[in-house]
Amino acid sequence: MKDSKKILIVTSEFPPQPGGIGNHAYNLANQLQKNGYKVGLLTDVRSIDGVEEQQFDSSVSFDVYRIKRHKIIVWSYLKRIIIYKRLAYKYSNIIASGKFPLWIVGLDPFLSKNKKYAVIHGSEVNLQGLNKKFTDKVLQNFKTIVAVSNFTKSLIDDLNLKKIIVIPNGFKIEMVKNLENRNHFKNNNYPVLITVGNVSDRKGQLNMIKALPALLKLYPHCLYHIVGIPTLQGKLEKVALEQGVLASLVFHGNVTEIMKQHLLKESDIFVMLSNQTKTGDVEGFGIAIIEANALNLPAIGSDNCGIVDVIKQNYSGKLVNPTDSDAIVNSIDDILKDYPNYSKQAKEWSKQFDWKVIIKKYINILE
């Protein structure tokens, strides 16, 4: 194997724990390995005992190196640097994905700039204060920077970097066998909405809840599935109770891939009304939307973040102001009135994001 075919991916997230950066890193590593590269991947242990990670790592075709987190955070940082140093010289190219990986790889004085590649997702380049200045400086030290959306690229346009390329996130779904299409609106004349993602300010489930009173006037029996880690579930339940819409919500928590697909197929429209938080946390892409599209669900998403690259307006869904309840309700109604076409178009739109297509763009950069 040529030395140039050996690649180390350093990532801040990785399965089996949830997260878009981890999903991207896994598929990138897997696809590179399938295309003749020798891949190693460095990441953290995020579970308490590490058993979940051990089981997952034994199932992949590439080498995974894990770093245990410590209560004393400085010790965790030092261990990351030490283990990274031990591995870096074994690989001809390094891809950094996530905030700390950008720092550790970008600041490595012994690694040639020509061997450093960065993938930026959104929030890690939209920081505040000194963190922002530090990250901006570090980005100068990479040969090529891949932004997962034009919105993410726009966050660093002011740096005037020489080589920034936009490559959208890819998706790959292992389809559950015998998965029936049971869209409620098609069969029962009432819509079922769904959001998949951490129940948080950024993912914007609260925006949909606030729009439900108006939507219920049009569709009194509509239902909203909320799937994901229930970080702010209590807050959302309180608001829903005040709005009188609690009976129209179902919180599922974090679910298996099989259950997620079943819930998607029982739904009609995927909703991701993401916000930018006060700390700069922002939706850089929104791969969950494409996964839903592949299962025939059109989507409604925010018009002020990376989702703009993910939804084709009036084709695979609708882009709206995430806090404009009237616009949200009108968009849902418009999609439902032409549902067969939106559903068909959403599936067609998703095909360009298949990892078999996306990986060719990464290989072009590396070679």
Side-chain angles (χ1 to χ4, degrees), residues 247-258:
S248 298
L249 306 182
V250 182
F251 288 92
H252 296 273
N254 204 20
V255 301
T256 65
E257 180 65 22
I258 292 174

Side-chain angles (χ1 to χ4, degrees), residues 1-7 36-39 90-93 367:
M1 179 180 293
K2 293 182 179 179
D3 186 59
S4 62
K5 291 273 191 175
K6 298 180 71 175
I7 295 176
Y37 288 82
K38 175 64 177 177
V39 178
K90 299 179 180 180
Y91 294 87
S92 53
N93 294 299
E367 296 184 353

Side-chain angles (χ1 to χ4, degrees), residues 37-318:
Y37 288 82
K38 175 64 177 177
V39 178
L41 188 140
L42 178 62
T43 190
D44 286 351
V45 175
R46 294 169 70 190
S47 67
I48 295 174
D49 57 13
V51 173
E52 295 175 68
E53 284 86 353
Q54 290 175 9
Q55 292 175 343
F56 182 85
D57 295 349
S58 66
S59 70
V60 303
S61 60
F62 47 88
D63 296 325
V64 180
Y65 308 93
R66 298 271 187 176
I67 303 166
K68 290 184 178 180
R69 291 185 174 185
H70 295 268
K71 292 182 179 178
I72 301 175
I73 193 67
V74 174
W75 179 235
S76 295
Y77 290 158
L78 288 174
K79 286 198 70 175
R80 288 174 184 168
I81 294 170
I82 292 168
I83 295 176
Y84 162 76
K85 286 292 187 182
R86 289 175 183 170
L87 292 172
Y89 78 94
K90 299 179 180 180
Y91 294 87
S92 53
N93 294 299
I94 314 289
I95 299 175
S97 182
K99 184 179 73 173
F100 195 78
L102 289 179
W103 293 357
I104 193 174
V105 177
L107 290 175
D108 185 347
F110 302 105
L111 189 67
S112 167
K113 179 178 179 178
N114 288 333
K115 296 182 177 181
K116 299 177 182 179
Y117 299 83
V119 179
I120 58 173
H121 301 268
S123 297
E124 77 277 33
V125 292
N126 198 40
L127 302 167
Q128 308 295 317
L130 291 176
N131 282 337
K132 168 68 173 171
K133 293 180 180 179
F134 188 59
T135 302
D136 288 351
K137 184 70 175 177
V138 165
L139 289 172
Q140 308 282 344
N141 299 330
F142 287 90
K143 177 183 179 181
T144 303
I145 297 171
V146 175
V148 301
S149 67
N150 285 288
F151 172 80
T152 298
K153 178 179 178 294
S154 73
L155 297 176
I156 60 169
D157 275 346
D158 62 313
L159 301 181
N160 296 314
L161 299 174
K162 290 184 178 180
K163 196 162 185 181
I164 307 174
I165 298 172
V166 176
I167 301 178
N169 274 346
F171 84 101
K172 185 177 185 298
I173 295 181
E174 297 294 339
M175 295 293 186
V176 176
K177 293 181 179 179
N178 301 319
L179 193 64
E180 298 178 4
N181 191 341
R182 295 186 287 170
N183 301 97
H184 282 68
F185 182 73
K186 180 179 178 181
N187 296 325
N188 299 318
N189 202 35
Y190 69 90
V192 178
L193 315 175
I194 186 169
T195 299
V196 177
N198 186 0
V199 182
S200 61
D201 287 334
R202 191 184 90 183
K203 292 298 182 182
Q205 292 92 342
L206 185 59
N207 291 327
M208 188 62 243
I209 290 172
K210 288 182 177 179
L212 278 177
L215 182 61
L216 285 165
K217 291 179 180 178
L218 285 178
Y219 301 99
H221 302 292
C222 73
L223 189 65
Y224 180 33
H225 290 302
I226 299 176
V227 180
I229 299 172
T231 306
L232 296 181
Q233 180 174 331
K235 174 184 176 181
L236 268 59
E237 286 178 331
K238 182 179 179 181
V239 174
L241 183 63
E242 293 170 351
Q243 297 270 341
V245 298
L246 188 58
S248 298
L249 306 182
V250 182
F251 288 92
H252 296 273
N254 204 20
V255 301
T256 65
E257 180 65 22
I258 292 174
M259 177 58 71
K260 183 182 80 173
Q261 288 191 35
H262 278 294
L263 289 170
L264 285 167
K265 292 298 282 186
E266 290 180 356
S267 303
D268 301 291
I269 298 175
F270 191 91
V271 181
M272 189 172 282
L273 301 169
S274 300
N275 303 303
Q276 179 169 325
T277 69
K278 294 179 180 179
T279 61
D281 197 11
V282 67
E283 199 71 58
F285 191 75
I287 195 60
I289 294 172
I290 299 299
E291 292 176 346
N293 289 163
L295 294 171
N296 299 100
L297 270 71
I300 293 175
S302 300
D303 64 0
N304 57 3
C305 61
I307 291 174
V308 171
D309 281 14
V310 185
I311 295 175
K312 185 175 181 180
Q313 183 75 310
N314 300 321
Y315 183 81
S316 68
K318 296 276 192 177

